[in-house]
Amino acid sequence: TRAAAVAARATELAREAARRHPERVWVAASVGPLGAVRADGGEYRGRYGLTEAELVRFHRPRIEAAAAGRPDVLALETVPDVVEARAMLTAAARVDVPVWLSYTVADGRTRAGQSLTEAFAVALGHPRVIAVGVNCCAPAEVAPALRVAAAVTGLPGVAYPNSGERWDAERGWHGSAVPTADAVAAWYAAGARLIGGCCRVGPARLAPVAAAVRDLGAPPTGAGLRG
């Protein structure tokens, strides 16, 4: 289909850009939640009223199309619900590409309200999962979530929160904008090995995060911006 061709071409373009970098750069293909596709904010709630089998049928062609471009890894990201995470991992089991699983969280739980212990347990023993963590959440949520992820799975952590800003119709975006070096160090200490930024963390805001990663002695490819 045309959508599958676009996905493959996006991976090709990303790989062309990566070849210009002096260090090896991974190319990740993003597979987001059903709620984002509906454009109804459901990625911040989960629980779409669908069965797990229905979610598998929805995600399988998307995951297969993303994998067809031969990325280095599939980013199963911004997942709000344990049921959807299980469905995505079931769909990913048939493709020969490693994956990372990343939840969006709030108040120490998934957006659907499940415990993070339950959430990260779905990755246990899955043959494709190489890392687990969180994205598109407030920076303060990252370190506690990563500690749970490491305790449950023993896998490397993924950490790419949003800016932490909040939207106000009168004031616009306000609040925290850039994680501090201390915050990045705490993520690394909690197990994060893939560190970056999500919504409203563009190149300028990512630069201090990348610098903090370098100061930790982490590999240069340890910081990135997902897209």
Side-chain angles (χ1 to χ4, degrees):
T1 66
R2 184 175 180 183
V6 169
R9 180 57 178 156
T11 301
E12 291 172 8
L13 292 172
R15 202 172 294 286
E16 288 174 14
R19 281 196 287 267
R20 303 190 190 106
H21 198 278
E23 306 289 340
R24 181 174 183 268
V25 176
W26 278 16
V27 174
S30 169
V31 182
L34 171 59
V37 174
R38 288 179 165 179
D40 64 354
E43 65 269 35
Y44 298 111
R45 297 188 300 271
R47 301 300 175 90
Y48 317 112
L50 299 178
T51 67
E52 187 170 333
E54 288 171 326
L55 287 168
V56 172
R57 287 196 294 273
F58 169 76
H59 281 295
R60 180 162 282 148
R62 302 174 69 235
I63 287 173
E64 290 176 349
R70 306 310 299 170
D72 295 299
V73 62
L74 293 176
L76 308 184
E77 60 180 3
T78 326
V79 184
D81 182 9
V82 172
V83 175
E84 186 165 24
R86 281 201 307 263
M88 294 173 87
L89 290 176
T90 297
R94 299 202 331 193
V95 300
D96 189 22
V97 180
V99 306
W100 77 56
L101 173 65
S102 182
Y103 287 95
T104 178
V105 299
D107 300 320
R109 305 182 74 82
T110 69
R111 296 279 183 169
Q114 300 114 336
S115 77
L116 296 187
T117 298
E118 177 188 359
F120 291 118
V122 303
L124 285 172
H126 194 282
R128 297 283 181 261
V129 180
I130 60 169
V132 293
V134 292
N135 76 289
C136 208
C137 60
E141 297 276 352
V142 174
L146 287 176
R147 286 192 283 270
V148 176
V152 172
T153 69
L155 291 169
V158 179
Y160 50 117
N162 57 40
S163 68
E165 295 169 283
R166 294 181 180 275
W167 173 255
D168 183 286
E170 295 182 358
R171 298 168 57 194
W173 290 101
H174 63 94
S176 300
V178 179
T180 65
D182 287 344
V184 174
W187 303 345
Y188 191 80
R193 295 299 179 266
L194 295 164
I195 298 174
C198 199
C199 297
R200 289 186 60 78
V201 184
R205 288 176 171 174
L206 185 67
V209 176
V213 171
R214 286 193 294 270
D215 289 344
L216 291 167
T221 51
L225 177 71
R226 87 94 173 93

